[in-house]
Amino acid sequence: MNEPPEKFDVIVVGGGIGGVSLGYELSHDRSVCLLEQESTLAYHTTGRSAALFLETYGNAAIRALTTASRSFLLGPPEHFDTELLTRRTLLQFAARGRGEALEAMFEQVRTLTPDARLVTEDEARTLFPLLREGVVDLALHEPGSMEVDVHALHQGFVRGLRRRGGVVATRSGVVALERTAGAWTVTSADGTRRRAPVVVDAAGAWADSVAALAGASPVGLRPLRRTIFVLDTPDDVDTRQLPTLSDIDESFYLKPEGDRMLCSPADETSTEPTDARPDETEIARALDAIHEATTLEARHVRSSWAGLRSFVHDRTPVVGFDPNVDGFFWCAGQGGYGIQTCAALARVGAALVRGEGLPVDVAARGLDVADLDPARCAAPPHIVDA
Ligand SMILES: Cc1cc2nc3c(=O)[nH]c(=O)nc-3n(C[C@H](O)[C@H](O)[C@H](O)COP(=O)(O)OP(=O)(O)OC[C@H]3O[C@@H](n4cnc5c(N)ncnc54)[C@H](O)[C@@H]3O)c2cc1C
């Protein structure tokens, strides 16, 4: 005879940063079970990020969520036992002929990031001496940018969730969702069944597939592959003081990491949800762009990896109850910003699960519930706007 299913208030599907942060927030006043299909949490996108915290990055909703995450990340609660942020400034440059585009961007970002400022080519080359002369039209320096200890951040959420009585089960891919008598029966691949009135879909690139199990319409999520590779830096370069360097047209970015340089072609190749692998052609293209813009000569790639950044049409996360399926809550579409926005997005998600409005600090930054509402994706356009 089958065991009766264990009961919870909320079952979260997915153990990346989206699932663990929202599970953590909800565990404050709810019994939470988090289910992950892999044998380790954070195996997919969360474990493969560039670990950057950039307040000028992304659209207005992303900038609101990022800036609203800063205070949590700077002073996390007791479950987080190390510092999560380290200073790493950002230098975004506009190549020759692109200065006006950077000025327009600066006008948009300066309200929420007042310490960001435009700098000349000379100043840019002082900040990042590896930049070649004659490449930069204008640059934007963001002194408040940070890098994130993603492992410590993710683990802190998991630890907090467990300490509050939450259950975390790996190797527990959800294969069926059935709603009866006001609650979901959630079946994992090994046949284990659990019940809860609310299911949170935090399945990253697989969020539309999980929604299909519940009979919910897809939100039109598109996983886009992004590659990272690692180069040596010249012995005479002190990488500790170097900013992250990014071209505003995203032909590449570079982030110093110890005595190496973490590089990305900033590629966005549409793919199925999968265990992503690096794209060698994109690495070759990025090496050319890096050699053109900087004096970094290295060609030997030390290591490389790739992950999936999953977006809906407007590049804003999808957070809220499904408009047509009772008790099915979306937490998806964090794209390339899921680490830097997680603290605020989890507070937003928890408030919406509880039927409350947005946290005041998030609303004060101009974000509206409608910006995140899954209903806006009912007939998603096919284009992912840049
Ligand atoms: C190369 C790269 C660089 C990036 N750089 C940054 C950065 O600098 N800053 C930043 O903020 N963001 C960055 N990002 C984006 C960030 O990593 C993502 O937004 C974030 O990790 C998404 O988290 P997630 O929890 O939604 O997805 P994931 O981490 O993929 O987690 C989803 C989980 O759901 C599980 N799952 C799926 N289906 C099921 C199922 N049926 N049952 C159970 N479990 C299931 C998966 O196994 C997976 O573990 C980057 C991403 C990439 C790829």
Side-chain angles (χ1 to χ4, degrees):
M1 206 177 85
N2 281 342
E3 292 280 309
E6 200 175 348
K7 291 183 180 158
F8 299 91
D9 295 324
V10 181
I11 292 175
V12 178
V13 184
I17 199 75
V20 300
S21 56
L22 181 48
Y24 165 81
E25 286 294 341
L26 286 169
S27 65
H28 186 67
D29 58 355
R30 301 276 196 281
S31 62
V32 174
C33 174
L34 183 142
L35 302 176
E36 166 56 49
Q37 66 184 355
E38 303 290 352
S39 56
T40 49
L41 303 175
Y43 173 77
H44 287 287
T45 305
T46 298
R48 307 177 190 205
S49 87
L52 290 164
F53 178 89
L54 312 173
E55 288 176 325
T56 57
Y57 194 34
N59 64 28
I62 298 301
R63 297 198 301 273
L65 289 162
T66 305
T67 52
S69 294
R70 188 181 188 98
S71 59
F72 180 101
L73 296 174
L74 277 176
E78 72 277 8
H79 315 293
F80 299 78
D81 48 21
T82 53
E83 293 204 350
L84 301 175
L85 295 184
T86 316
R87 187 160 185 263
R88 173 73 66 191
T89 72
L90 171 70
L91 186 67
Q92 288 178 275
F93 74 91
R96 290 277 162 212
R98 295 288 292 147
E100 280 181 17
L102 186 65
E103 278 172 328
M105 180 188 145
F106 177 60
E107 287 309 315
Q108 288 177 9
V109 302
R110 63 193 302 184
T111 324
L112 285 180
T113 318
D115 52 355
R117 65 183 187 95
L118 292 173
V119 297
T120 61
E121 177 178 35
D122 282 351
E123 285 176 276
R125 293 187 67 226
T126 304
L127 289 162
F128 199 95
L130 296 169
L131 265 171
R132 285 189 196 278
E133 196 177 347
V135 167
V136 172
D137 208 345
L138 191 65
L140 178 65
H141 188 230
E142 189 185 326
S145 287
M146 299 283 190
E147 50 188 314
V148 187
D149 185 336
V150 178
H151 178 72
L153 174 63
H154 183 274
Q155 280 304 303
F157 284 127
V158 174
R159 198 177 302 119
L161 170 61
R162 286 194 165 120
R163 282 184 189 161
R164 291 167 172 174
V167 172
V168 176
T170 53
R171 293 193 180 89
S172 298
V174 171
V175 294
L177 291 169
E178 190 190 1
R179 191 160 180 94
T180 51
W184 292 100
T185 300
V186 180
T187 308
S188 297
D190 64 0
T192 306
R193 294 178 311 136
R194 298 170 174 92
R195 263 177 81 76
V198 174
V199 161
V200 171
D201 180 359
W206 289 265
D208 271 342
S209 316
V210 169
L213 297 176
S217 300
V219 291
L221 203 61
R222 284 184 66 204
L224 303 179
R225 183 181 55 215
R226 176 154 291 186
T227 304
I228 292 194
F229 60 98
V230 178
L231 296 178
D232 286 335
T233 46
D235 291 340
D236 56 347
V237 173
D238 180 4
T239 53
R240 282 169 305 177
Q241 301 307 324
L242 286 183
T244 296
L245 179 74
S246 161
D247 158 16
I248 59 158
D249 293 314
E250 288 209 68
S251 66
F252 71 89
Y253 67 79
L254 303 175
K255 180 190 150 198
E257 186 121 306
D259 56 359
R260 303 245 157 97
M261 196 66 85
L262 193 148
C263 315
S264 175
D267 45 334
E268 294 201 329
T269 309
S270 190
T271 170
E272 293 299 307
T274 185
D275 191 352
R277 297 283 170 237
D279 183 332
E280 299 301 329
T281 314
E282 286 290 343
I283 292 177
R285 186 191 59 69
L287 279 170
D288 287 345
I290 291 166
H291 292 154
E292 233 168 77
T294 74
T295 54
L296 202 62
E297 301 287 344
R299 277 216 167 254
H300 176 65
V301 172
R302 288 266 165 197
S303 60
S304 61
W305 67 89
L308 302 179
R309 298 155 79 246
S310 298
F311 295 92
V312 294
H313 65 285
D314 57 8
R315 294 198 171 225
T316 299
V318 180
V319 180
F321 278 106
D322 188 90
N324 302 311
V325 178
D326 280 352
F328 188 81
F329 191 90
W330 290 86
C331 179
Q334 293 93 329
Y337 326 104
I339 309 297
Q340 61 181 45
T341 57
C342 70
L345 206 55
R347 287 190 290 122
V348 165
L352 297 180
V353 168
R354 294 181 185 121
E356 299 164 0
L358 291 187
V360 278
D361 63 312
V362 179
R365 289 176 163 83
L367 196 76
D368 195 275
V369 174
D371 296 328
L372 306 171
D373 190 353
R376 78 186 196 280
C377 304
H382 293 295
I383 301 160
V384 177
D385 296 330

